[in-house]
Amino acid sequence: MPARIEDVAAHAGVSTKTVSRVLNGYTNVRAKLRARIESSIHALNYVPNPSARGLAGNRSYLVALVYDNPLAGSSYTMELIVGVLQACKGTPYNAVLHPFEATDDLAAQIDGFVAQHRPDALVLVPPHANNARLLQRLDELDIRYSTISSKLRQSHIDVGFDERRAAAEIVEHLVSLGHRRIGHITGLRGHGAHAWRLSGYRDALRRAGIAYDESLVVAGDFTFPSGVEGAKALLNLRRPPTAIFAANDDMACGVMREAHERGLSIPGDLSVCGFDDTPASLVMSPGLTTVRQPCREIGCLAAESVLQSIRDPALRQQARVPYQLRLRESTAAPGKS
Amino acid sequence: MPARIEDVAAHAGVSTKTVSRVLNGYTNVRAKLRARIESSIHALNYVPNPSARGLAGNRSYLVALVYDNPLAGSSYTMELIVGVLQACKGTPYNAVLHPFEATDDLAAQIDGFVAQHRPDALVLVPPHANNARLLQRLDELDIRYSTISSKLRQSHIDVGFDERRAAAEIVEHLVSLGHRRIGHITGLRGHGAHAWRLSGYRDALRRAGIAYDESLVVAGDFTFPSGVEGAKALLNLRRPPTAIFAANDDMACGVMREAHERGLSIPGDLSVCGFDDTPASLVMSPGLTTVRQPCREIGCLAAESVLQSIRDPALRQQARVPYQLRLRESTAAPGKS
DNA sequence: GTCAAATCTACAAGCGCTGTCAACACAAAG
DNA sequence: CTTTGTGTTGACAGCGCTTGTAGATTTGAC
C-alpha cells in the first residue's frame, strides 16, 4: 500500500494541510519546514494519488495533444509527442493523445472529448490550430490551450518558427548555387505552411532580382503523390526549372522519384530541396537538402507554456524557435553532372 | 457544471449504485431498468468523472505503452500508438506513453513510473518486451501487461506475427526471381527480430537447395548507417551477392545509398529488400520491396487483450496477426539492367 | 516590549464515484 | 401458507486529496 499524505504529515510532524501546500508549490511555507517535509516525502517514497488530487482539486492533470489523423506526417507528430512528454516530465501532468477525425462537427467532437477526459489543457497542431471555431469553443469552455504554427493572429499562446525566413534561406541557397529557374510545389492551401513557404520563396526571388514566374509554381498537398505530380508538371514545361523547392520533404521525395523515372540525375540535372527534415530525407539517395524544424522543442515549449498558463491565465506568448538549414547532396550548381 | 451520477439516479428514479452498475457493465440489472437508466444518461449527457471513478475503484483507467527511446523507428511506434488509441476508444481507458531510457535500473524506473501514474495495464514493445527481469517485477507488482513481438516464451499475453515465415517468403521471392547469392544484413542481437528474420532467411535458402554461406551474412543494428556498412562489406566480397535482404527498411535504405554511391543500379545490378514497410520504403526510388507488418492491428490487439485481462486475469493469449509482402521496384531478376 | 503579518494547526466538508452489505422482491419448494 | 433461495436494488461509508475556517503560534519591524 503506497504512502498517503497523512503518513507524510505524521512523519514530518506537521498537518496534512502543510504537506499539501508543499506539494502544490505554495510559497508561504518556511524554508526549514519545507525541507523537513520534502525529506519525509522522499523517505516514505510518497507520490500523491492523481485521482484523489484530481477529484478534490477539480483537475485532471492531463494535457491533450490534438492532431490530425496521422496517416501522413507521422514523424512530425511523433516528434511533437516526444516534446510534450518531455514537458510533462517532473510535473504531475500526463500527456494524452487525441487524433481528431477531420469532420465537420469538430465542436461536437471536442465537446465529447472534453466531457470524457476533462483535460486541463490542450496543445493544438495544424490544421486544427487554424480552426477559429474550435478555438472559440475552447474559450467558451474555458480550457487553456496553446497552438503550434497557427496562422491565426490571435491573442493566445503559439509556438512556431519563422517558416517564411527559412523558406527564403533555402531558396537563396539555390540561387547562390547559380539557379535562376527555380520551381516551387506548394503545400496544402489553408495551412500556414502553404502561405509562409510560398512567401519565403518569393522573398528570395525578389532579393535575387529574379522575376516571379507563375508557371514555375504548382499546387501540392504535402503528399508524396502530389510531389510526383508537381514534378511532372514542372519538368514538362518548355523550359523546365533547374531546381525545385518542394514545400515539404514528402513532396520532395516525390520529385526525386519522378526525376529518377525520367533518368534525370540529382543534383546533376536537377537540384531538389524539401522542408521539415523528416527521417526519409536522410535515407534518400542522394540525401535531401531541407530545413530542420525543431519539432521536439516546439512540442515541449507549447506544452510548457500552456501548463504555465494554468497557473497564470494571463499568459500570452508567441514563441519562435530557431531552425537550421540541412544542406545535403540533392542540391548543386546547375548544369553539371 | 457536468451532470453527476446522482443527477442521473434522480432522473431515472433509482439509486446511484444501480446507475453505477449500468455504467460498469454489471449484468444483474433488469433490462427494463437498464434501458431507463441508459436513456437518462443520454438525456443528461452524462459522462462519469474519471478521477472520482479511479479514486473510488482504486483504478487509474490508464494503459501505458512502454517503448524504447524513439530516436529510431518512430513510424513503428507511432503506428502502435494509433492501434492502442483505437483499442481505448469507447472504453473509459486512456493511453499514456512511457518512453523508457535504456538504462540499467529499469526496475527502479518502472517502480517510479508505476508509483506516479498507477497504470492499470502496460503494453510492452521490444526490447523491453524481452526483458525478463522487467516482466518479473511487473508480476510482483501485480500489474497486467501484454507484450509485442516478445521472444520470451512465457505464459503472458503477446501479440506479433510470424516473422520467420515472412522473412522466408521474401527471400523465396528473391530466389524465384533467379537469385542464388543473396546477402543478409541482420538486426540487432537480442531482438527477436534478429533471430527470426535470420532463421527465415536460412529456411528459404534450405528449401531452395542453396548452401548457407556465412560470408553473405553480416551484422547490422537496424540503423541506416549499419545498412551502409553492411552493404559495403557485402559488395566488397570477391563474389558479391546479386540481392541483399536487410532485416529492416532503414538498413535497406542504407544498402540503396551505398549502391547509388557505387553507381550500381537497383534493381538492375542489385536487388534490395527490407522489412517493416516504413513510410520511407514507399518514397525511395525505386520503391522498396518489403514486408508489411500490421503495426496498428498489433497495437490494438495488444491493448485490447490486456484490458480484457483486467476483468479476466486468467487470460493468456498468443495472437499472430497476418502480414503482407509488398513487392515494389527494388527487386528484379539478376543481371539485367 | 508591542503589534501586525506571516505561518502553521486542527478540523470539517466534500469532490463523484464504487464497494460492502443489508434489504427487498419474487419464484420455487415444502 | 411459510420457507428458502436467487436475483435485484438501495443506504451508506469511504477512497485520498484539496479547500476553507478559525484560531494558535511564530516572526520580524518598530
Side-chain angles (χ1 to χ4, degrees):
Chain A
M1 221 49 186
R4 292 159 307 155
I5 197 172
E6 201 185 318
D7 304 326
V8 175
H11 186 272
V14 298
S15 72
T16 60
K17 173 92 210 220
T18 305
V19 178
S20 174
R21 284 198 189 94
V22 170
L23 290 175
N24 293 284
Y26 287 74
T27 50
N28 54 343
V29 177
R30 236 167 320 215
K32 201 165 173 179
L33 193 53
R34 172 184 299 274
R36 198 167 86 221
I37 292 170
E38 274 166 355
S39 81
S40 290
I41 289 174
H42 201 75
L44 297 178
N45 229 324
Y46 171 72
V47 185
N49 180 317
S51 296
R53 242 182 156 177
L55 179 59
N58 194 27
R59 262 160 285 159
S60 64
Y61 294 100
L62 254 34
V63 201
L65 184 71
V66 176
Y67 58 98
D68 203 22
N69 223 2
L71 291 171
S74 78
S75 94
Y76 175 71
T77 309
M78 193 68 209
E79 289 291 304
L80 289 179
I81 292 172
V82 173
V84 172
L85 288 172
Q86 194 179 319
C88 291
K89 203 160 198 173
T91 75
Y93 279 84
N94 218 334
V96 299
L97 306 179
H98 193 73
F100 256 118
E101 316 290 327
T103 59
D104 277 344
D105 57 345
L106 216 107
Q109 268 205 61
I110 200 78
D111 282 5
F113 174 67
V114 165
Q116 187 175 164
H117 299 293
R118 298 165 212 233
D120 293 337
L122 302 181
V123 177
L124 303 174
V125 177
H128 304 312
N130 298 327
N131 187 319
R133 265 186 57 217
L134 175 58
L135 303 199
Q136 188 192 330
R137 182 75 189 126
L138 291 174
D139 286 334
E140 284 167 24
L141 292 169
D142 197 34
I143 295 181
R144 314 268 135 235
Y145 59 87
S146 64
T147 56
I148 288 176
S149 300
S150 171
K151 64 173 189 176
L152 265 34
R153 288 260 144 264
Q154 286 204 180
S155 54
H156 60 256
I157 302 173
D158 182 77
V159 182
F161 70 105
D162 194 335
E163 305 203 18
R164 181 168 178 169
R165 203 158 151 261
E169 265 191 51
I170 203 162
V171 174
E172 274 161 7
H173 162 69
L174 292 172
V175 169
S176 75
L177 288 171
H179 293 277
R180 306 288 294 175
R181 286 188 67 74
I182 301 172
H184 178 49
I185 305 176
T186 72
L188 190 61
R189 204 171 276 276
H191 279 61
H194 167 273
W196 292 323
R197 296 173 192 185
L198 176 57
S199 302
Y201 165 78
R202 300 190 64 162
D203 291 347
L205 294 187
R206 190 178 330 109
R207 280 202 281 267
I210 301 173
Y212 175 71
D213 180 350
E214 215 174 52
S215 67
L216 287 176
V217 175
V218 302
D221 61 7
F222 290 130
T223 65
F224 177 79
S226 80
V228 173
E229 291 311 311
K232 279 184 180 155
L234 290 171
L235 296 174
N236 283 341
L237 290 176
R238 266 173 306 135
R239 290 179 53 215
T242 59
I244 295 178
F245 164 46
N248 79 343
D249 285 354
D250 283 352
M251 293 194 298
C253 290
V255 173
M256 289 175 75
R257 165 68 64 88
E258 181 59 23
H260 281 126
E261 293 288 322
R262 291 175 183 234
L264 296 175
S265 95
I266 294 173
D269 301 321
L270 181 72
S271 284
V272 179
C273 57
F275 207 99
D276 288 345
D277 199 25
T278 53
S281 68
L282 192 59
V283 304
M284 295 300 287
S285 307
L288 181 66
T289 291
T290 187
V291 174
R292 191 183 100 84
Q293 173 174 1
C295 299
R296 282 187 202 198
E297 292 87 327
I298 289 176
C300 185
L301 205 52
E304 272 175 355
S305 319
V306 80
L307 289 182
Q308 206 177 323
S309 83
I310 291 172
R311 289 253 151 142
D312 171 16
L315 189 75
R316 298 278 180 275
Q317 180 177 315
Q318 246 75 28
R320 297 291 141 219
V321 299
Y323 59 87
Q324 283 182 309
L325 251 59
R326 290 279 202 243
L327 304 181
R328 299 208 180 90
E329 301 79 37
S330 68
T331 48
K336 60 167 238 211
S337 202
Chain B
M1 220 51 185
R4 292 159 306 156
I5 197 172
E6 202 185 317
D7 304 326
V8 176
H11 187 272
V14 297
S15 73
T16 59
K17 179 66 213 191
T18 305
V19 177
S20 171
R21 286 199 184 92
V22 171
L23 290 174
N24 292 283
Y26 287 72
T27 50
N28 55 342
V29 176
R30 236 175 315 225
K32 201 165 176 181
L33 194 53
R34 172 184 298 276
R36 198 165 87 220
I37 293 172
E38 273 165 354
S39 82
S40 292
I41 289 173
H42 201 74
L44 297 178
N45 226 326
Y46 170 73
V47 185
N49 180 316
S51 297
R53 247 183 154 175
L55 179 58
N58 193 27
R59 261 162 286 158
S60 63
Y61 293 100
L62 254 35
V63 201
L65 183 72
V66 177
Y67 57 99
D68 204 20
N69 222 2
L71 292 170
S74 78
S75 93
Y76 174 71
T77 309
M78 192 68 209
E79 289 291 303
L80 289 179
I81 292 173
V82 173
V84 172
L85 287 174
Q86 193 180 317
C88 290
K89 202 159 199 175
T91 76
Y93 278 84
N94 217 335
V96 300
L97 306 178
H98 192 72
F100 257 118
E101 316 289 326
T103 59
D104 277 346
D105 58 344
L106 216 108
Q109 269 206 62
I110 201 78
D111 281 5
F113 173 68
V114 165
Q116 187 176 163
H117 298 293
R118 298 162 211 238
D120 294 336
L122 301 181
V123 176
L124 303 173
V125 177
H128 303 313
N130 298 326
N131 188 318
R133 265 187 56 220
L134 176 58
L135 302 198
Q136 188 192 330
R137 182 74 189 127
L138 291 174
D139 286 334
E140 282 166 28
L141 293 168
D142 198 34
I143 295 181
R144 314 266 135 240
Y145 59 87
S146 64
T147 56
I148 289 175
S149 299
S150 171
K151 65 173 188 175
L152 264 36
R153 289 259 144 265
Q154 287 203 182
S155 55
H156 60 256
I157 301 172
D158 182 77
V159 181
F161 69 105
D162 194 336
E163 305 202 18
R164 182 167 178 169
R165 200 154 154 263
E169 265 190 51
I170 203 163
V171 173
E172 275 161 7
H173 162 68
L174 292 172
V175 170
S176 76
L177 288 171
H179 294 277
R180 305 288 295 177
R181 287 187 67 75
I182 301 171
H184 178 49
I185 306 177
T186 73
L188 190 60
R189 206 170 274 278
H191 278 63
H194 167 274
W196 292 323
R197 295 172 195 185
L198 177 57
S199 302
Y201 165 78
R202 299 189 64 163
D203 290 347
L205 294 187
R206 189 178 331 108
R207 279 201 282 266
I210 300 172
Y212 175 70
D213 181 348
E214 213 175 53
S215 67
L216 287 176
V217 176
V218 302
D221 61 7
F222 288 131
T223 65
F224 177 79
S226 81
V228 174
E229 291 311 310
K232 279 183 180 155
L234 290 172
L235 296 174
N236 283 341
L237 291 175
R238 266 174 307 135
R239 289 180 54 216
T242 58
I244 296 179
F245 164 47
N248 78 343
D249 285 355
D250 283 352
M251 294 195 297
C253 291
V255 172
M256 288 174 76
R257 166 69 64 89
E258 181 60 22
H260 282 128
E261 292 290 321
R262 293 176 182 232
L264 296 176
S265 95
I266 294 174
D269 301 320
L270 182 71
S271 284
V272 179
C273 56
F275 207 99
D276 287 346
D277 198 26
T278 54
S281 67
L282 193 58
V283 303
M284 295 300 287
S285 308
L288 182 65
T289 291
T290 186
V291 173
R292 192 184 99 85
Q293 173 174 5
C295 298
R296 282 188 202 197
E297 291 87 328
I298 290 175
C300 185
L301 205 52
E304 272 176 354
S305 320
V306 80
L307 288 182
Q308 206 178 323
S309 83
I310 292 172
R311 289 253 153 142
D312 172 15
L315 189 76
R316 297 279 180 276
Q317 180 177 314
Q318 246 76 27
R320 297 291 143 219
V321 299
Y323 58 85
Q324 283 182 309
L325 250 59
R326 290 280 202 240
L327 303 181
R328 299 206 182 91
E329 301 80 37
S330 68
T331 46
K336 60 167 240 214
S337 204

